[in-house]
Amino acid sequence: MTFRRFAVVACTLFLGMLIITNGKPTEVTHAFCKIAWLVGVPCDQVNMAIVTQIKAMGSYKLGPVTPTLIQANHTSAVGQTERVNFTMMSTSISLGCLIQGCSVSEFWFSLFDNGTNYCNLHNVIQGSGLTKSLGFIEFTNEWLCLGFGLSACK
Ligand SMILES: *[C@@H]1O[C@H](CO)[C@@H](O)[C@H](O)[C@H]1NC(C)=O
Ligand SMILES: *[C@@H]1O[C@H](CO)[C@@H](O)[C@H](O)[C@H]1NC(C)=O
Ligand SMILES: *[C@@H]1O[C@H](CO)[C@@H](O)[C@H](O)[C@H]1NC(C)=O
C-alpha cells in the first residue's frame, strides 16, 4: 500500500469514528488528546491488557470498567490531573479491535501540555504490549491531540 493510499484510508476511518463518537468538539479551554488504534487482538483481550497496565502504573487511578469502556484518572508529577478513557469496538477485520483513547486535562491552565495527554494514552498502550501486536496502527494528529508533535513520552 502506498503512503498516499494509507493516508486516505486512515482519514476515512477517522472521519467515520468522529461521527460514531458523536463528533462534538471537546471543550477548547482544556488540553486534550484523542488517539485511535487498530490491533489484531480481540477486544476482550485488549480490555484486559489495558486494565492490567493501568493498575501497574502508579500515576493512574482506575475508575469504572465495562467491556467497552475503561475510565481512569492520571496525576502527573507536577500535580495536574487528567481524565482518561479507552473505548473498544470490534472491527469487521476478524479478531480485530478498534480502540479509542481520550485524555483531557482538568485545568484550563494546562492548555499547553507538552504532550502530557498524548503520553497518558500512548504509554498505557505501549506498556500493555499492544503496540507489538499484529497489524498495530496508531492514528492521531495535531488537531486531535494537542502537543502530539512536541511529545517525547518517558
Ligand atoms: C476522576 O476525577 C474526577 C474529577 O475530579 C472524579 O469525579 C472521579 O471520581 C475521579 N475518578 C477516579 C477513578 O478517581
Ligand atoms: C471520554 O472522555 C471524554 C473527555 O472527558 C468525554 O468527552 C467522553 O464522553 C468520554 N467517553 C466516554 C465513552 O465516557
Ligand atoms: C512545557 O515545556 C516548557 C519548555 O520546556 C516548560 O517551560 C513548560 O513549563 C512546560 N509546560 C508544562 C505544562 O509542562
Side-chain angles (χ1 to χ4, degrees):
M1 199 156 35
T2 65
F3 179 77
R4 182 181 297 271
R5 172 104 179 277
F6 171 77
V8 170
V9 171
C11 281
T12 308
L13 184 62
F14 233 125
L15 285 175
M17 279 184 323
L18 287 175
I19 292 162
I20 291 165
T21 57
N22 84 23
K24 281 189 211 120
T26 315
E27 301 155 79
V28 288
T29 51
H30 294 253
F32 72 96
C33 178
K34 281 186 181 182
I35 309 180
W37 302 270
L38 260 179
V39 293
V41 175
C43 286
D44 57 341
Q45 285 176 34
V46 167
N47 187 302
M48 226 185 304
I50 292 175
V51 168
T52 304
Q53 182 58 29
I54 288 175
K55 283 182 180 165
M57 294 167 99
S59 53
Y60 291 80
K61 191 158 180 282
L62 190 64
V65 175
T66 72
T68 55
L69 173 66
I70 298 168
Q71 290 177 273
N73 286 348
H74 174 261
T75 307
S76 56
V78 289
Q80 289 180 12
T81 306
E82 296 90 33
R83 304 189 76 155
V84 176
N85 64 34
F86 294 90
T87 58
M88 278 128 301
M89 212 188 302
S90 296
T91 65
S92 50
I93 304 161
S94 59
L95 299 181
C97 188
L98 175 63
I99 313 163
Q100 197 173 14
C102 191
S103 174
V104 181
S105 298
E106 280 285 295
F107 305 110
W108 63 270
F109 52 78
S110 48
L111 190 54
F112 298 103
D113 75 344
N114 293 351
T116 303
N117 283 296
Y118 171 76
C119 293
N120 283 349
L121 299 171
H122 181 81
N123 288 347
V124 169
I125 297 300
Q126 175 116 47
S128 71
L130 289 168
T131 45
K132 285 179 265 162
S133 66
L134 187 71
F136 173 85
I137 306 174
E138 177 175 278
F139 301 107
T140 191
N141 61 31
E142 302 268 351
W143 56 267
L144 284 170
C145 185
L146 190 85
F148 167 58
L150 302 170
S151 45
C153 304
K154 287 193 279 300

PDB file of all heavy atoms in Angstrom, residues 80 112-114, ligand 3:
ATOM      1  N   GLN A  80      -0.885  17.851  38.182  1.00  0.00           N
ATOM      2  CA  GLN A  80      -2.043  18.051  37.314  1.00  0.00           C
ATOM      3  C   GLN A  80      -2.781  16.736  37.149  1.00  0.00           C
ATOM      4  O   GLN A  80      -2.172  15.675  37.163  1.00  0.00           O
ATOM      5  CB  GLN A  80      -1.583  18.520  35.935  1.00  0.00           C
ATOM      6  CG  GLN A  80      -1.053  19.926  35.943  1.00  0.00           C
ATOM      7  CD  GLN A  80      -0.606  20.358  34.554  1.00  0.00           C
ATOM      8  OE1 GLN A  80      -0.893  19.689  33.571  1.00  0.00           O
ATOM      9  NE2 GLN A  80       0.084  21.463  34.493  1.00  0.00           N
ATOM     10  N   PHE A 112      -1.273  24.181  27.277  1.00  0.00           N
ATOM     11  CA  PHE A 112      -0.063  23.807  26.552  1.00  0.00           C
ATOM     12  C   PHE A 112       0.603  22.709  27.366  1.00  0.00           C
ATOM     13  O   PHE A 112       1.354  22.961  28.296  1.00  0.00           O
ATOM     14  CB  PHE A 112       0.832  25.022  26.347  1.00  0.00           C
ATOM     15  CG  PHE A 112       0.133  26.050  25.536  1.00  0.00           C
ATOM     16  CD1 PHE A 112      -0.418  27.173  26.127  1.00  0.00           C
ATOM     17  CD2 PHE A 112      -0.045  25.861  24.172  1.00  0.00           C
ATOM     18  CE1 PHE A 112      -1.124  28.089  25.368  1.00  0.00           C
ATOM     19  CE2 PHE A 112      -0.751  26.779  23.417  1.00  0.00           C
ATOM     20  CZ  PHE A 112      -1.287  27.895  24.015  1.00  0.00           C
ATOM     21  N   ASP A 113       0.220  21.514  27.025  1.00  0.00           N
ATOM     22  CA  ASP A 113       0.556  20.398  27.922  1.00  0.00           C
ATOM     23  C   ASP A 113       1.818  19.660  27.533  1.00  0.00           C
ATOM     24  O   ASP A 113       2.165  18.673  28.162  1.00  0.00           O
ATOM     25  CB  ASP A 113      -0.635  19.453  28.021  1.00  0.00           C
ATOM     26  CG  ASP A 113      -0.806  18.594  26.768  1.00  0.00           C
ATOM     27  OD1 ASP A 113      -0.204  18.918  25.720  1.00  0.00           O
ATOM     28  OD2 ASP A 113      -1.531  17.600  26.853  1.00  0.00           O
ATOM     29  N   ASN A 114       2.513  20.119  26.496  1.00  0.00           N
ATOM     30  CA  ASN A 114       3.764  19.470  26.073  1.00  0.00           C
ATOM     31  C   ASN A 114       3.583  17.983  25.803  1.00  0.00           C
ATOM     32  O   ASN A 114       4.519  17.222  25.981  1.00  0.00           O
ATOM     33  CB  ASN A 114       4.866  19.640  27.138  1.00  0.00           C
ATOM     34  CG  ASN A 114       5.301  21.087  27.292  1.00  0.00           C
ATOM     35  OD1 ASN A 114       4.915  21.943  26.518  1.00  0.00           O
ATOM     36  ND2 ASN A 114       6.115  21.344  28.286  1.00  0.00           N
TER      37      ASN A 114
HETATM   38  C1  LIG B   3       6.299  22.732  28.660  1.00  0.00           C
HETATM   39  O1  LIG B   3       7.653  22.880  28.295  1.00  0.00           O
HETATM   40  C2  LIG B   3       8.154  24.195  28.508  1.00  0.00           C
HETATM   41  C3  LIG B   3       9.574  24.258  27.950  1.00  0.00           C
HETATM   42  O2  LIG B   3      10.304  23.103  28.288  1.00  0.00           O
HETATM   43  C4  LIG B   3       8.095  24.495  30.002  1.00  0.00           C
HETATM   44  O3  LIG B   3       8.568  25.818  30.235  1.00  0.00           O
HETATM   45  C5  LIG B   3       6.649  24.403  30.465  1.00  0.00           C
HETATM   46  O4  LIG B   3       6.559  24.598  31.867  1.00  0.00           O
HETATM   47  C6  LIG B   3       6.097  23.039  30.129  1.00  0.00           C
HETATM   48  N1  LIG B   3       4.663  23.018  30.446  1.00  0.00           N
HETATM   49  C7  LIG B   3       4.109  22.011  31.086  1.00  0.00           C
HETATM   50  C8  LIG B   3       2.625  22.135  31.305  1.00  0.00           C
HETATM   51  O5  LIG B   3       4.732  21.039  31.473  1.00  0.00           O
END
